[in-house]
Coordinates of all heavy atoms in Angstrom, one line a residue:
E3 N 65.5 130.2 213.1 CA 65.7 129.6 211.8 C 65.7 130.7 210.7 O 66.6 130.6 209.8 CB 64.5 128.6 211.5 CG 64.7 127.9 210.2 CD 63.7 126.8 210.0 OE1 63.0 126.4 211.0 OE2 63.5 126.3 208.9
A10 N 72.6 132.4 206.3 CA 73.1 131.5 205.2 C 73.0 132.3 203.8 O 73.9 132.2 203.0 CB 72.2 130.2 205.1
G57 N 124.4 139.3 163.9 CA 125.5 138.5 163.6 C 125.5 137.8 162.3 O 126.5 137.5 161.6
P60 N 125.4 140.0 156.6 CA 126.6 140.7 156.2 C 126.3 142.2 155.7 O 125.3 142.4 155.1 CB 127.1 139.9 155.0 CG 125.8 139.2 154.5 CD 124.9 139.0 155.7
E77 N 119.2 135.7 151.4 CA 119.2 134.4 152.0 C 119.0 134.6 153.5 O 118.3 133.8 154.2 CB 120.5 133.7 151.7 CG 120.6 133.2 150.3 CD 121.9 132.5 150.0 OE1 122.6 132.2 151.0 OE2 122.2 132.1 148.8
G97 N 117.4 158.0 161.2 CA 116.4 159.0 161.1 C 115.0 158.5 161.3 O 114.0 159.2 160.9
V103 N 111.5 146.4 154.0 CA 110.4 145.5 154.5 C 110.7 144.1 154.0 O 111.0 143.9 152.8 CB 109.1 146.0 154.0 CG1 108.0 145.1 154.5 CG2 108.8 147.4 154.3
P134 N 114.3 148.9 173.7 CA 113.2 148.4 172.9 C 111.8 149.1 173.2 O 111.6 149.5 174.4 CB 113.1 146.9 173.2 CG 114.4 146.5 173.7 CD 114.9 147.8 174.4
V155 N 113.6 147.4 168.1 CA 114.8 147.2 168.8 C 115.9 148.0 168.1 O 116.2 147.8 167.0 CB 115.2 145.7 168.7 CG1 116.4 145.4 169.5 CG2 114.0 144.9 169.3
G200 N 100.2 127.8 191.3 CA 100.9 126.7 190.7 C 100.9 126.7 189.2 O 101.9 126.5 188.5
K250 N 151.0 132.4 167.3 CA 152.1 133.3 167.4 C 152.7 133.1 168.8 O 153.9 133.3 168.9 CB 151.7 134.7 167.1 CG 151.2 134.9 165.7 CD 150.7 136.4 165.5 CE 150.2 136.6 164.1 NZ 149.6 138.0 164.0
F260 N 141.3 122.4 152.7 CA 140.1 122.8 151.9 C 139.6 121.6 151.2 O 140.4 120.9 150.5 CB 140.5 123.9 151.0 CG 139.6 125.1 151.1 CD1 140.1 126.4 151.3 CD2 138.2 125.0 151.0 CE1 139.3 127.5 151.5 CE2 137.4 126.2 151.1 CZ 138.0 127.4 151.3
Q265 N 132.5 117.3 140.7 CA 131.4 117.1 139.9 C 130.1 117.1 140.7 O 129.1 116.3 140.4 CB 131.4 115.8 139.1 CG 132.7 115.6 138.3 CD 132.8 116.6 137.1 OE1 131.9 117.3 136.8 NE2 134.0 116.6 136.5
A317 N 152.7 114.2 158.3 CA 152.2 112.9 158.1 C 150.8 112.7 158.6 O 150.0 112.0 158.0 CB 153.2 111.9 158.7
D337 N 116.8 107.3 149.2 CA 115.6 106.9 148.6 C 115.7 105.7 147.6 O 115.2 105.7 146.5 CB 114.9 108.0 147.9 CG 114.5 109.2 148.9 OD1 114.3 108.8 150.1 OD2 114.5 110.3 148.5
G338 N 116.6 104.7 148.0 CA 116.7 103.6 147.2 C 117.8 103.7 146.1 O 118.0 102.8 145.3
L362 N 143.4 130.8 154.3 CA 142.3 130.3 153.4 C 142.6 130.4 152.0 O 142.3 129.4 151.2 CB 141.0 131.0 153.8 CG 140.4 130.8 155.2 CD1 139.3 131.8 155.4 CD2 140.0 129.4 155.4
N458 N 133.2 123.1 122.8 CA 132.2 123.0 121.8 C 131.9 124.3 121.0 O 131.7 124.2 119.8 CB 130.9 122.5 122.4 CG 131.0 121.0 122.8 OD1 132.0 120.4 122.8 ND2 129.9 120.4 123.3
S486 N 137.4 117.6 118.8 CA 137.6 117.2 120.2 C 136.6 116.2 120.7 O 135.4 116.2 120.2 CB 137.6 118.4 121.1 OG 137.4 118.1 122.5
S520 N 141.3 107.6 120.9 CA 140.9 107.7 122.3 C 139.5 108.1 122.4 O 138.8 107.8 123.4 CB 141.8 108.8 123.0 OG 141.6 110.1 122.4
I523 N 137.5 105.0 122.3 CA 137.7 104.2 123.5 C 136.8 104.7 124.6 O 136.2 103.9 125.4 CB 139.2 104.2 123.9 CG1 140.1 103.5 122.9 CG2 139.4 103.6 125.3 CD1 141.5 103.7 123.1
Y557 N 138.5 99.0 115.4 CA 137.9 100.4 115.1 C 138.0 100.8 113.7 O 137.1 101.3 113.1 CB 138.7 101.4 116.0 CG 138.3 101.3 117.5 CD1 139.3 101.5 118.4 CD2 137.0 101.1 117.9 CE1 139.0 101.4 119.8 CE2 136.7 101.0 119.2 CZ 137.7 101.2 120.2 OH 137.4 101.1 121.5
K567 N 146.1 108.6 109.5 CA 147.3 109.5 109.5 C 148.3 108.9 110.5 O 148.0 108.7 111.7 CB 146.9 110.9 110.0 CG 145.9 111.6 109.1 CD 145.6 113.1 109.5 CE 146.8 113.9 109.1 NZ 146.5 115.4 109.4
I591 N 150.9 101.1 106.6 CA 150.4 101.5 105.2 C 149.8 100.3 104.5 O 148.7 100.5 103.9 CB 151.6 102.0 104.4 CG1 152.1 103.4 105.0 CG2 151.2 102.3 103.0 CD1 153.4 103.9 104.4
L637 N 147.7 132.2 102.0 CA 147.4 131.2 101.0 C 147.2 131.8 99.6 O 147.4 131.1 98.6 CB 146.2 130.4 101.4 CG 146.3 129.6 102.7 CD1 144.9 128.9 103.0 CD2 147.4 128.7 102.7
L640 N 149.7 131.4 96.9 CA 149.8 130.1 96.3 C 148.9 130.0 95.1 O 148.9 129.0 94.4 CB 149.6 129.0 97.3 CG 150.6 128.9 98.5 CD1 150.2 127.8 99.4 CD2 152.0 128.8 98.0

Side-chain angles (χ1 to χ4, degrees):
E3 186 174 343
E77 291 181 6
V103 181
V155 182
K250 294 177 182 178
F260 234 124
Q265 307 292 353
D337 297 330
L362 293 172
N458 285 9
S486 165
S520 61
I523 294 171
Y557 287 139
K567 300 187 74 173
I591 293 174
L637 298 182
L640 301 177

